[in-house]
């Protein structure tokens, strides 16, 4: 097997792993969104400093998870671009 073909298989495996990681991270984001919604509602209704603190924490969790997903998607896009270049090279 040629080096380019081995690289393509490796890239495919890496992309599949990233797809799985993105899927799991999106599911976790849904969980954090639900927690954040509840915390924001509690903070708005209760006047408690503990509820406000928890609302800030959960909002931060959502932002961090969104940034994590964006990073994974960026890595996946780079690998996909690299894979497409290699496929174009093979087609020539």
């Amino acid at each position: 097997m040629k080096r380019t073909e081995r690289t393509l298989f490796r890239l495919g495996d890496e992309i599949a792993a990233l797809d799985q990681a993105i899927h799991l991270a999106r599911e976790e984001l849904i969980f954090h969104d639900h927690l954040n919604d509840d915390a924001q509602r509690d903070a708005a209704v209760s006047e408690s400093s503990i509820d406000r603190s928890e609302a800030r924490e959960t909002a931060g969790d959502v932002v961090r998870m969104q940034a994590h997903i964006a990073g994974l998607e960026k890595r996946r896009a780079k690998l996909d671009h690299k894979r497409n270049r290699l496929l174009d090279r093979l087609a020539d």
Side-chain angles (χ1 to χ4, degrees):
M1 187 180 306
K2 293 182 182 180
R3 182 174 183 249
T4 302
E5 292 164 339
R6 281 194 307 267
T7 303
L8 279 170
F9 283 123
R10 183 184 52 80
L11 286 173
D13 290 343
E14 290 179 35
I15 288 170
L18 280 172
D19 285 343
Q20 180 65 18
I22 290 168
H23 172 74
L24 293 174
R26 285 181 178 155
E27 292 297 317
E28 189 172 342
L29 176 59
I30 291 169
F31 172 75
H32 285 292
D33 273 335
H34 287 299
L35 289 177
N36 186 46
D37 287 344
D38 291 343
Q40 297 302 322
R41 188 173 25 263
D42 290 348
V45 171
S46 81
E47 300 297 321
S48 168
S49 62
I50 294 172
D51 286 340
R52 288 191 303 272
S53 174
E54 186 174 315
R56 282 190 299 274
E57 282 184 39
T58 59
D61 291 342
V62 169
V63 170
R64 280 187 293 280
M65 187 54 64
Q66 290 170 335
H68 176 64
I69 292 169
L72 291 172
E73 289 173 339
K74 185 176 179 180
R75 281 178 46 205
R76 192 206 185 282
K78 285 181 181 181
L79 290 176
D80 199 36
H81 179 71
K82 186 174 183 178
R83 181 181 62 178
N84 288 337
R85 280 192 333 228
L86 289 173
L87 287 171
D88 289 343
R89 187 184 310 163
L90 281 178
D92 290 337

